[in-house]
Amino acid sequence: MIIKRQHIVEHYTADRNKTWDDFVAASRNATFLLRRGYMDYHSDRFTDRSLMIYRSDGDRRRLIALFAACDGNEGEICAHAGLTYGGLVMSDASDGAEILEVIRGIISFYRCAGYRIMRYKAVPHIYHSRPAEEDIYALFRCGARLSECNLSSTIDLRSPIAFNENSRRNMRRALRSGVTIAESRDFEVYWQVLENLLDSRYGTKPVHSAAEIAMLASRFPRNIRLFVALNTTGTVIAGTVIYVTEACVHAQYIAASPEGKSLGALPLLFDTVIGRHCGHARYFDFGTSNEDHGRYLNEGLIMQKNGMGGRGVTYNTYVIDLSHPAPDGQSQATTSQDN
């Protein structure tokens, strides 16, 4: 006989931040981005609608999942609009059948709250400490459709692809020119290089200000690190911020000044970071090369990352229409309750 498990779905409240963070630390698919100290830094921009899901067994209950979410556009719930990825945080205690029940319960919870659409940014598998794609199956069963696909460039550090000749040539030029690589905490100086590049090339600004990224780095000093390339006078000519997680080291805010580009500083920078600062991580991820929600691929940028050994991994976003029941017609297996 199959006995359906009952679940209680509750809104996250600030008094449970330690419980949330402890679960994130022990989960198989979350990173420090899902900890409250990171999520809440921009609480003035996003209204948090995160959930905590408990398995109920009589008078006892056990926390078995978290759902990181916030309000999106009118009538939308997003998991999570302020993060690169979000959605369901899972422990080892749940199997595919239970995660399907949990996702159904979350959908029912938000549907009853009046939301029309749920956007779900799945955590890419390269960040999983153990396999954790039960949520993708559950989304399929609940009628989700792929709404955004961005292509990232990733190195499997257990079987890396060598830099191509062009990247190696740039490295040799940088070394002959006296370029050196160093870790830095001076985000303000590097942000000038980054902002100049983004403004001149794309007319945009970094998502984080220098003050914000410095604040986050002070909260997560082992996870958020800045590496820069310096010319012979000690001037910053290139750099990147890396986000260090258990399974993957992710590079973002990659930039080079005109001098840094002419001296070939970036390949030397990444050769140093990849070779010396990835610890026991399985993957190194250069990040996505897209604009317009994945519809435009920057071929020059992805070619550069490909030349340093990166190969494709997708960052996917799914959409569920909350106004309709799951297409497979199975009954709701969870119970929802607000606290």
Side-chain angles (χ1 to χ4, degrees):
M1 180 176 63
I2 298 176
I3 300 176
K4 288 289 186 182
R5 293 160 286 205
Q6 286 192 321
H7 300 93
I8 300 170
V9 182
E10 297 180 349
H11 274 304
Y12 163 79
T13 52
D15 60 303
R16 289 187 280 185
N17 65 325
K18 185 178 186 304
T19 301
W20 178 286
D21 282 353
D22 288 346
F23 190 91
V24 166
S27 77
R28 55 190 162 113
N29 70 323
T31 70
F32 73 95
L33 273 71
L34 278 301
R35 289 179 58 184
R36 300 311 308 194
Y38 192 97
M39 290 178 61
D40 293 343
Y41 89 92
H42 49 25
S43 58
D44 59 324
R45 303 178 201 170
F46 302 97
T47 301
D48 190 87
R49 302 295 186 193
S50 298
L51 303 177
M52 303 178 78
I53 300 92
Y54 295 85
R55 181 192 299 162
S56 177
D57 181 17
D59 294 333
R60 300 178 60 187
R61 66 181 197 170
R62 176 183 182 183
L63 182 64
I64 53 99
L66 306 173
F67 193 73
C70 67
D71 281 341
N73 297 324
E74 184 176 355
E76 290 187 353
I77 190 73
C78 296
H80 185 292
L83 301 174
T84 306
Y85 42 77
L88 196 69
V89 178
M90 296 177 275
S91 71
D92 290 327
S94 299
D95 59 17
E98 181 165 44
I99 294 303
L100 177 57
E101 295 174 20
V102 167
I103 290 291
R104 285 174 172 157
I106 290 169
I107 289 171
S108 178
F109 186 96
Y110 287 128
R111 181 186 291 127
C112 291
Y115 290 96
R116 298 179 296 102
I117 295 291
M118 183 167 80
R119 295 191 181 277
Y120 188 103
K121 294 181 181 178
V123 180
H125 73 88
I126 55 177
Y127 296 98
H128 298 175
S129 56
R130 293 173 293 282
E133 292 190 336
E134 291 88 345
D135 59 334
I136 304 301
Y137 174 73
L139 291 171
F140 159 72
R141 287 286 298 274
C142 293
R145 64 176 177 83
L146 182 65
S147 66
E148 183 172 337
C149 180
N150 291 284
L151 185 61
S152 193
S153 300
T154 304
I155 297 172
D156 183 342
L157 296 174
R158 297 182 187 177
S159 182
I161 297 172
F163 283 23
N164 66 13
E165 178 54 33
N166 184 60
S167 294
R168 293 197 298 270
R169 184 167 54 249
N170 284 333
M171 284 175 51
R172 292 192 293 268
R173 184 192 314 134
L175 288 169
R176 288 196 303 268
S177 302
V179 175
T180 56
I181 309 301
E183 186 166 5
S184 173
R185 304 301 287 183
D186 196 340
F187 290 92
E188 190 72 40
V189 168
Y190 175 61
W191 242 238
Q192 295 175 20
V193 175
L194 176 66
E195 289 176 342
N196 288 339
L197 175 69
L198 292 179
D199 181 59
S200 63
R201 184 170 296 179
Y202 305 109
T204 61
K205 294 182 178 180
V207 173
H208 299 98
S209 68
E212 286 174 334
I213 196 70
M215 178 272 292
L216 288 170
S218 71
R219 291 184 183 181
F220 302 98
R222 297 191 344 184
N223 301 107
I224 301 176
R225 303 169 67 184
L226 169 64
F227 287 87
V228 296
L230 307 168
N231 66 11
T232 55
T233 66
T235 300
V236 174
I237 57 173
T240 187
V241 176
I242 62 171
Y243 276 24
V244 181
T245 70
E246 179 181 351
C248 181
V249 175
H250 172 76
Q252 57 186 45
Y253 294 132
I254 303 167
S257 68
E259 180 185 5
K261 185 175 181 180
S262 68
L263 295 181
L266 282 176
L268 179 62
L269 172 73
F270 282 115
D271 182 68
T272 303
V273 171
I274 293 166
R276 302 180 187 177
H277 299 288
C278 286
H280 299 291
R282 168 74 184 271
Y283 298 103
F284 181 87
D285 184 47
F286 286 104
T288 60
S289 302
N290 300 95
E291 299 173 36
D292 191 23
H293 306 287
R295 295 179 181 87
Y296 173 77
L297 179 64
N298 187 326
E299 295 184 10
L301 184 57
I302 204 166
M303 183 182 298
Q304 181 183 30
K305 296 171 181 178
N306 188 82
M308 292 185 284
R311 294 299 184 269
V313 167
T314 57
Y315 284 55
N316 294 328
T317 300
Y318 300 87
V319 169
I320 295 178
D321 183 348
L322 300 182
S323 63
H324 299 290
D328 63 12
Q330 294 194 14
S331 61
Q332 179 67 44
T334 62
T335 60
S336 299
Q337 172 182 311
D338 204 353
N339 60 333

CSV table of all heavy atoms in Angstrom, one decimal, residues 190-241:
chain,number,residue,atom,x,y,z
A,190,TYR,N,38.9,48.3,-9.0
A,190,TYR,CA,38.6,47.4,-10.2
A,190,TYR,C,37.3,47.8,-10.8
A,190,TYR,O,37.1,47.7,-12.0
A,190,TYR,CB,38.5,45.9,-9.7
A,190,TYR,CG,38.1,45.1,-10.9
A,190,TYR,CD1,38.8,45.0,-12.1
A,190,TYR,CD2,36.9,44.4,-10.8
A,190,TYR,CE1,38.4,44.2,-13.1
A,190,TYR,CE2,36.4,43.6,-11.9
A,190,TYR,CZ,37.2,43.5,-13.0
A,190,TYR,OH,36.7,42.8,-14.1
A,191,TRP,N,36.3,48.3,-10.0
A,191,TRP,CA,35.0,48.7,-10.6
A,191,TRP,C,35.1,49.8,-11.6
A,191,TRP,O,34.3,49.9,-12.5
A,191,TRP,CB,34.1,49.1,-9.5
A,191,TRP,CG,32.9,48.1,-9.4
A,191,TRP,CD1,31.5,48.5,-9.5
A,191,TRP,CD2,32.8,46.7,-9.3
A,191,TRP,NE1,30.7,47.4,-9.4
A,191,TRP,CE2,31.5,46.3,-9.3
A,191,TRP,CE3,33.8,45.8,-9.1
A,191,TRP,CZ2,31.1,44.9,-9.2
A,191,TRP,CZ3,33.5,44.4,-9.0
A,191,TRP,CH2,32.1,44.0,-9.0
A,192,GLN,N,36.2,50.6,-11.5
A,192,GLN,CA,36.4,51.7,-12.5
A,192,GLN,C,36.7,51.1,-13.8
A,192,GLN,O,36.2,51.5,-14.9
A,192,GLN,CB,37.5,52.6,-12.0
A,192,GLN,CG,37.2,53.4,-10.8
A,192,GLN,CD,38.4,54.2,-10.3
A,192,GLN,OE1,39.3,54.5,-11.0
A,192,GLN,NE2,38.3,54.6,-9.0
A,193,VAL,N,37.5,50.0,-13.8
A,193,VAL,CA,37.8,49.3,-15.1
A,193,VAL,C,36.6,48.7,-15.6
A,193,VAL,O,36.2,48.8,-16.8
A,193,VAL,CB,38.9,48.2,-14.9
A,193,VAL,CG1,39.1,47.4,-16.1
A,193,VAL,CG2,40.2,48.9,-14.4
A,194,LEU,N,35.8,48.0,-14.8
A,194,LEU,CA,34.6,47.3,-15.2
A,194,LEU,C,33.5,48.3,-15.7
A,194,LEU,O,33.0,48.0,-16.8
A,194,LEU,CB,34.1,46.5,-14.0
A,194,LEU,CG,32.7,45.8,-14.2
A,194,LEU,CD1,32.9,44.7,-15.2
A,194,LEU,CD2,32.2,45.2,-12.8
A,195,GLU,N,33.3,49.3,-15.0
A,195,GLU,CA,32.3,50.3,-15.4
A,195,GLU,C,32.6,51.0,-16.7
A,195,GLU,O,31.7,51.2,-17.5
A,195,GLU,CB,32.0,51.3,-14.3
A,195,GLU,CG,31.3,50.7,-13.1
A,195,GLU,CD,31.2,51.7,-11.9
A,195,GLU,OE1,32.0,52.8,-12.0
A,195,GLU,OE2,30.4,51.5,-11.0
A,196,ASN,N,33.9,51.3,-16.9
A,196,ASN,CA,34.3,51.9,-18.2
A,196,ASN,C,34.1,51.0,-19.3
A,196,ASN,O,33.6,51.4,-20.4
A,196,ASN,CB,35.8,52.3,-18.1
A,196,ASN,CG,36.1,53.5,-17.2
A,196,ASN,OD1,35.2,54.2,-16.9
A,196,ASN,ND2,37.3,53.6,-16.7
A,197,LEU,N,34.3,49.7,-19.1
A,197,LEU,CA,34.1,48.7,-20.2
A,197,LEU,C,32.6,48.6,-20.5
A,197,LEU,O,32.2,48.6,-21.7
A,197,LEU,CB,34.7,47.4,-19.8
A,197,LEU,CG,34.4,46.2,-20.8
A,197,LEU,CD1,35.2,46.5,-22.1
A,197,LEU,CD2,34.8,44.9,-20.2
A,198,LEU,N,31.8,48.4,-19.5
A,198,LEU,CA,30.4,48.2,-19.7
A,198,LEU,C,29.7,49.4,-20.3
A,198,LEU,O,28.8,49.3,-21.2
A,198,LEU,CB,29.7,47.8,-18.4
A,198,LEU,CG,30.1,46.4,-17.8
A,198,LEU,CD1,29.4,46.2,-16.4
A,198,LEU,CD2,29.8,45.3,-18.7
A,199,ASP,N,30.1,50.6,-19.9
A,199,ASP,CA,29.5,51.8,-20.4
A,199,ASP,C,29.9,52.0,-21.9
A,199,ASP,O,29.1,52.3,-22.7
A,199,ASP,CB,30.0,53.0,-19.6
A,199,ASP,CG,29.3,54.3,-20.1
A,199,ASP,OD1,28.1,54.4,-20.1
A,199,ASP,OD2,30.1,55.2,-20.4
A,200,SER,N,31.2,51.8,-22.2
A,200,SER,CA,31.6,52.1,-23.6
A,200,SER,C,31.1,51.0,-24.5
A,200,SER,O,30.8,51.3,-25.7
A,200,SER,CB,33.2,52.1,-23.6
A,200,SER,OG,33.7,50.8,-23.2
A,201,ARG,N,31.0,49.8,-24.1
A,201,ARG,CA,30.6,48.7,-25.0
A,201,ARG,C,29.1,48.4,-25.1
A,201,ARG,O,28.6,48.2,-26.1
A,201,ARG,CB,31.3,47.4,-24.6
A,201,ARG,CG,31.1,46.2,-25.6
A,201,ARG,CD,32.0,45.1,-25.3
A,201,ARG,NE,33.4,45.4,-25.5
A,201,ARG,CZ,34.4,44.6,-25.3
A,201,ARG,NH1,34.2,43.4,-24.9
A,201,ARG,NH2,35.7,45.0,-25.5
A,202,TYR,N,28.5,48.5,-23.9
A,202,TYR,CA,27.0,48.1,-23.8
A,202,TYR,C,26.1,49.2,-23.3
A,202,TYR,O,24.9,49.1,-23.4
A,202,TYR,CB,26.9,46.9,-22.9
A,202,TYR,CG,27.7,45.7,-23.4
A,202,TYR,CD1,28.8,45.3,-22.6
A,202,TYR,CD2,27.4,45.0,-24.5
A,202,TYR,CE1,29.6,44.2,-22.9
A,202,TYR,CE2,28.2,43.9,-24.9
A,202,TYR,CZ,29.3,43.5,-24.1
A,202,TYR,OH,30.1,42.5,-24.4
A,203,GLY,N,26.7,50.3,-22.8
A,203,GLY,CA,25.9,51.4,-22.2
A,203,GLY,C,25.2,50.9,-21.0
A,203,GLY,O,24.1,51.4,-20.7
A,204,THR,N,25.8,50.0,-20.2
A,204,THR,CA,25.1,49.5,-19.0
A,204,THR,C,26.1,49.7,-17.8
A,204,THR,O,27.2,50.1,-17.9
A,204,THR,CB,24.8,48.0,-19.2
A,204,THR,OG1,26.0,47.3,-19.4
A,204,THR,CG2,23.9,47.8,-20.3
A,205,LYS,N,25.6,49.3,-16.6
A,205,LYS,CA,26.3,49.3,-15.4
A,205,LYS,C,26.3,47.9,-14.8
A,205,LYS,O,25.4,47.1,-15.0
A,205,LYS,CB,25.7,50.3,-14.4
A,205,LYS,CG,25.9,51.8,-14.9
A,205,LYS,CD,25.3,52.7,-13.8
A,205,LYS,CE,25.4,54.2,-14.3
A,205,LYS,NZ,24.9,55.1,-13.3
A,206,PRO,N,27.3,47.6,-13.9
A,206,PRO,CA,27.2,46.3,-13.2
A,206,PRO,C,25.9,46.2,-12.3
A,206,PRO,O,25.4,47.3,-11.9
A,206,PRO,CB,28.5,46.4,-12.3
A,206,PRO,CG,29.3,47.4,-12.9
A,206,PRO,CD,28.4,48.4,-13.5
A,207,VAL,N,25.4,45.0,-12.2
A,207,VAL,CA,24.3,44.8,-11.3
A,207,VAL,C,24.6,45.3,-9.9
A,207,VAL,O,23.7,45.9,-9.2
A,207,VAL,CB,23.9,43.3,-11.3
A,207,VAL,CG1,22.7,43.1,-10.3
A,207,VAL,CG2,23.4,42.9,-12.7
A,208,HIS,N,25.7,44.9,-9.4
A,208,HIS,CA,26.2,45.4,-8.1
A,208,HIS,C,27.0,46.6,-8.2
A,208,HIS,O,27.9,46.7,-9.1
A,208,HIS,CB,27.0,44.3,-7.4
A,208,HIS,CG,26.3,43.0,-7.1
A,208,HIS,ND1,26.4,41.9,-8.0
A,208,HIS,CD2,25.4,42.6,-6.1
A,208,HIS,CE1,25.7,40.9,-7.5
A,208,HIS,NE2,25.1,41.3,-6.4
A,209,SER,N,26.9,47.5,-7.2
A,209,SER,CA,27.8,48.6,-7.1
A,209,SER,C,29.1,48.1,-6.5
A,209,SER,O,29.1,47.0,-5.9
A,209,SER,CB,27.2,49.8,-6.3
A,209,SER,OG,27.0,49.4,-5.0
A,210,ALA,N,30.1,48.9,-6.5
A,210,ALA,CA,31.4,48.6,-5.8
A,210,ALA,C,31.1,48.4,-4.3
A,210,ALA,O,31.7,47.5,-3.7
A,210,ALA,CB,32.4,49.6,-6.1
A,211,ALA,N,30.3,49.3,-3.7
A,211,ALA,CA,30.0,49.2,-2.3
A,211,ALA,C,29.2,47.9,-2.0
A,211,ALA,O,29.5,47.3,-0.9
A,211,ALA,CB,29.2,50.4,-1.9
A,212,GLU,N,28.3,47.5,-2.8
A,212,GLU,CA,27.5,46.3,-2.6
A,212,GLU,C,28.3,45.1,-2.7
A,212,GLU,O,28.2,44.2,-1.8
A,212,GLU,CB,26.3,46.3,-3.6
A,212,GLU,CG,25.2,47.2,-3.3
A,212,GLU,CD,24.2,47.2,-4.4
A,212,GLU,OE1,24.5,46.9,-5.6
A,212,GLU,OE2,23.0,47.6,-4.1
A,213,ILE,N,29.2,45.0,-3.7
A,213,ILE,CA,30.0,43.7,-3.8
A,213,ILE,C,31.0,43.7,-2.7
A,213,ILE,O,31.3,42.6,-2.2
A,213,ILE,CB,30.6,43.7,-5.2
A,213,ILE,CG1,31.1,42.2,-5.5
A,213,ILE,CG2,31.7,44.7,-5.4
A,213,ILE,CD1,30.0,41.2,-5.7
A,214,ALA,N,31.5,44.8,-2.3
A,214,ALA,CA,32.5,44.8,-1.2
A,214,ALA,C,31.8,44.4,0.1
A,214,ALA,O,32.4,43.6,0.9
A,214,ALA,CB,33.1,46.2,-1.0
A,215,MET,N,30.5,44.8,0.3
A,215,MET,CA,29.8,44.4,1.5
A,215,MET,C,29.5,42.9,1.5
A,215,MET,O,29.7,42.2,2.5
A,215,MET,CB,28.5,45.2,1.6
A,215,MET,CG,27.5,44.8,2.7
A,215,MET,SD,26.4,43.5,2.3
A,215,MET,CE,25.4,44.3,1.1
A,216,LEU,N,29.1,42.4,0.3
A,216,LEU,CA,28.8,40.9,0.2
A,216,LEU,C,30.1,40.1,0.4
A,216,LEU,O,30.1,39.1,1.1
A,216,LEU,CB,28.2,40.6,-1.2
A,216,LEU,CG,26.8,41.1,-1.4
A,216,LEU,CD1,26.4,40.9,-2.8
A,216,LEU,CD2,25.8,40.3,-0.5
A,217,ALA,N,31.2,40.6,-0.1
A,217,ALA,CA,32.5,40.0,0.1
A,217,ALA,C,32.9,39.9,1.5
A,217,ALA,O,33.6,39.0,2.0
A,217,ALA,CB,33.6,40.6,-0.8
A,218,SER,N,32.6,41.0,2.3
A,218,SER,CA,32.9,41.0,3.7
A,218,SER,C,32.0,40.0,4.5
A,218,SER,O,32.4,39.4,5.5
A,218,SER,CB,32.6,42.4,4.3
A,218,SER,OG,31.3,42.8,4.3
A,219,ARG,N,30.8,39.7,4.0
A,219,ARG,CA,30.0,38.7,4.6
A,219,ARG,C,30.4,37.3,4.2
A,219,ARG,O,30.2,36.4,5.0
A,219,ARG,CB,28.5,38.9,4.2
A,219,ARG,CG,27.8,40.2,4.7
A,219,ARG,CD,26.4,40.2,4.3
A,219,ARG,NE,25.7,41.4,4.7
A,219,ARG,CZ,24.4,41.7,4.5
A,219,ARG,NH1,23.7,40.8,3.9
A,219,ARG,NH2,23.9,42.8,5.0
A,220,PHE,N,30.9,37.1,3.0
A,220,PHE,CA,31.3,35.8,2.5
A,220,PHE,C,32.7,35.9,1.9
A,220,PHE,O,32.9,35.7,0.7
A,220,PHE,CB,30.3,35.4,1.4
A,220,PHE,CG,28.9,35.3,1.8
A,220,PHE,CD1,28.0,36.4,1.6
A,220,PHE,CD2,28.4,34.2,2.5
A,220,PHE,CE1,26.7,36.3,2.0
A,220,PHE,CE2,27.1,34.2,3.0
A,220,PHE,CZ,26.2,35.2,2.7
A,221,PRO,N,33.7,36.1,2.8
A,221,PRO,CA,35.1,36.3,2.3
A,221,PRO,C,35.7,35.1,1.6
A,221,PRO,O,36.6,35.3,0.8
A,221,PRO,CB,35.8,36.7,3.6
A,221,PRO,CG,35.0,36.2,4.7
A,221,PRO,CD,33.6,36.3,4.3
A,222,ARG,N,35.2,33.9,2.0
A,222,ARG,CA,35.8,32.7,1.4
A,222,ARG,C,35.1,32.4,0.1
A,222,ARG,O,35.6,31.6,-0.7
A,222,ARG,CB,35.7,31.5,2.3
A,222,ARG,CG,36.5,31.7,3.6
A,222,ARG,CD,36.7,30.5,4.5
A,222,ARG,NE,35.8,29.4,4.2
A,222,ARG,CZ,35.8,28.3,5.0
A,222,ARG,NH1,36.6,28.2,6.0
A,222,ARG,NH2,34.9,27.4,4.7
A,223,ASN,N,33.9,33.0,-0.2
A,223,ASN,CA,33.1,32.7,-1.3
A,223,ASN,C,33.2,33.7,-2.4
A,223,ASN,O,33.1,33.4,-3.6
A,223,ASN,CB,31.7,32.5,-1.0
A,223,ASN,CG,31.4,31.5,0.1
A,223,ASN,OD1,31.1,31.7,1.2
A,223,ASN,ND2,31.5,30.2,-0.4
A,224,ILE,N,33.4,35.0,-2.1
A,224,ILE,CA,33.5,36.1,-3.1
A,224,ILE,C,34.9,36.7,-3.0
A,224,ILE,O,35.3,37.3,-2.1
A,224,ILE,CB,32.4,37.2,-2.8
A,224,ILE,CG1,31.0,36.6,-2.8
A,224,ILE,CG2,32.5,38.3,-3.8
A,224,ILE,CD1,29.9,37.5,-2.4
A,225,ARG,N,35.6,36.5,-4.2
A,225,ARG,CA,37.0,36.9,-4.2
A,225,ARG,C,37.3,37.7,-5.5
A,225,ARG,O,36.7,37.3,-6.6
A,225,ARG,CB,37.9,35.7,-4.1
A,225,ARG,CG,37.7,34.9,-2.8
A,225,ARG,CD,38.4,33.5,-2.9
A,225,ARG,NE,39.9,33.7,-2.8
A,225,ARG,CZ,40.7,32.7,-2.9
A,225,ARG,NH1,40.3,31.4,-3.1
A,225,ARG,NH2,42.0,32.9,-2.9
A,226,LEU,N,38.1,38.6,-5.4
A,226,LEU,CA,38.5,39.5,-6.6
A,226,LEU,C,40.0,39.2,-7.0
A,226,LEU,O,40.9,39.2,-6.1
A,226,LEU,CB,38.3,40.9,-6.2
A,226,LEU,CG,38.9,42.0,-7.2
A,226,LEU,CD1,38.2,41.9,-8.6
A,226,LEU,CD2,38.8,43.4,-6.7
A,227,PHE,N,40.2,38.9,-8.3
A,227,PHE,CA,41.5,38.7,-8.8
A,227,PHE,C,41.8,39.8,-9.9
A,227,PHE,O,40.9,40.0,-10.7
A,227,PHE,CB,41.8,37.3,-9.3
A,227,PHE,CG,41.9,36.3,-8.2
A,227,PHE,CD1,40.7,35.7,-7.7
A,227,PHE,CD2,43.1,36.0,-7.7
A,227,PHE,CE1,40.8,34.8,-6.7
A,227,PHE,CE2,43.2,35.0,-6.6
A,227,PHE,CZ,42.0,34.4,-6.1
A,228,VAL,N,42.9,40.4,-9.9
A,228,VAL,CA,43.2,41.4,-10.8
A,228,VAL,C,44.6,41.1,-11.5
A,228,VAL,O,45.4,40.5,-11.0
A,228,VAL,CB,43.3,42.8,-10.2
A,228,VAL,CG1,41.9,43.2,-9.6
A,228,VAL,CG2,44.3,42.9,-9.1
A,229,ALA,N,44.7,41.7,-12.7
A,229,ALA,CA,46.0,41.7,-13.5
A,229,ALA,C,46.5,43.1,-13.4
A,229,ALA,O,45.8,44.1,-13.5
A,229,ALA,CB,45.7,41.3,-14.9
A,230,LEU,N,47.8,43.2,-13.1
A,230,LEU,CA,48.5,44.5,-12.9
A,230,LEU,C,49.6,44.6,-13.9
A,230,LEU,O,50.3,43.7,-14.2
A,230,LEU,CB,49.1,44.5,-11.4
A,230,LEU,CG,48.2,44.2,-10.3
A,230,LEU,CD1,49.0,44.0,-9.0
A,230,LEU,CD2,47.2,45.4,-10.1
A,231,ASN,N,49.8,45.9,-14.4
A,231,ASN,CA,50.9,46.1,-15.2
A,231,ASN,C,52.2,46.4,-14.4
A,231,ASN,O,52.1,46.3,-13.1
A,231,ASN,CB,50.6,47.3,-16.2
A,231,ASN,CG,50.4,48.6,-15.5
A,231,ASN,OD1,50.7,48.8,-14.3
A,231,ASN,ND2,50.0,49.6,-16.3
A,232,THR,N,53.3,46.8,-15.0
A,232,THR,CA,54.5,46.9,-14.3
A,232,THR,C,54.5,48.1,-13.3
A,232,THR,O,55.4,48.2,-12.4
A,232,THR,CB,55.7,47.1,-15.3
A,232,THR,OG1,55.4,48.2,-16.2
A,232,THR,CG2,55.9,45.8,-16.1
A,233,THR,N,53.6,49.0,-13.4
A,233,THR,CA,53.5,50.2,-12.5
A,233,THR,C,52.4,49.9,-11.4
A,233,THR,O,52.2,50.7,-10.5
A,233,THR,CB,53.0,51.4,-13.2
A,233,THR,OG1,51.7,51.3,-13.7
A,233,THR,CG2,54.0,51.8,-14.3
A,234,GLY,N,51.8,48.7,-11.4
A,234,GLY,CA,50.9,48.3,-10.4
A,234,GLY,C,49.5,48.8,-10.7
A,234,GLY,O,48.6,48.7,-9.8
A,235,THR,N,49.2,49.2,-11.9
A,235,THR,CA,47.9,49.6,-12.3
A,235,THR,C,47.0,48.4,-12.7
A,235,THR,O,47.5,47.5,-13.4
A,235,THR,CB,47.9,50.6,-13.5
A,235,THR,OG1,48.7,51.7,-13.1
A,235,THR,CG2,46.5,51.1,-13.9
A,236,VAL,N,45.8,48.4,-12.2
A,236,VAL,CA,44.8,47.3,-12.5
A,236,VAL,C,44.4,47.5,-14.0
A,236,VAL,O,43.9,48.5,-14.4
A,236,VAL,CB,43.6,47.4,-11.6
A,236,VAL,CG1,42.6,46.3,-12.1
A,236,VAL,CG2,44.0,47.1,-10.2
A,237,ILE,N,44.7,46.4,-14.8
A,237,ILE,CA,44.3,46.5,-16.2
A,237,ILE,C,43.3,45.4,-16.6
A,237,ILE,O,42.8,45.4,-17.7
A,237,ILE,CB,45.6,46.3,-17.1
A,237,ILE,CG1,46.4,45.0,-16.8
A,237,ILE,CG2,46.5,47.5,-16.9
A,237,ILE,CD1,47.5,44.8,-17.7
A,238,ALA,N,43.0,44.5,-15.7
A,238,ALA,CA,42.0,43.4,-15.9
A,238,ALA,C,41.6,42.8,-14.6
A,238,ALA,O,42.3,43.0,-13.6
A,238,ALA,CB,42.5,42.4,-16.9
A,239,GLY,N,40.5,42.0,-14.7
A,239,GLY,CA,40.2,41.3,-13.4
A,239,GLY,C,38.9,40.5,-13.6
A,239,GLY,O,38.2,40.5,-14.6
A,240,THR,N,38.6,39.8,-12.5
A,240,THR,CA,37.3,39.1,-12.4
A,240,THR,C,37.0,38.9,-11.0
A,240,THR,O,37.9,38.8,-10.1
A,240,THR,CB,37.4,37.8,-13.2
A,240,THR,OG1,36.1,37.2,-13.2
A,240,THR,CG2,38.3,36.8,-12.5
A,241,VAL,N,35.7,38.8,-10.7
A,241,VAL,CA,35.2,38.4,-9.4
A,241,VAL,C,34.8,36.9,-9.5
A,241,VAL,O,34.2,36.5,-10.5
A,241,VAL,CB,34.0,39.2,-8.9
A,241,VAL,CG1,33.4,38.7,-7.6
A,241,VAL,CG2,34.3,40.7,-8.8
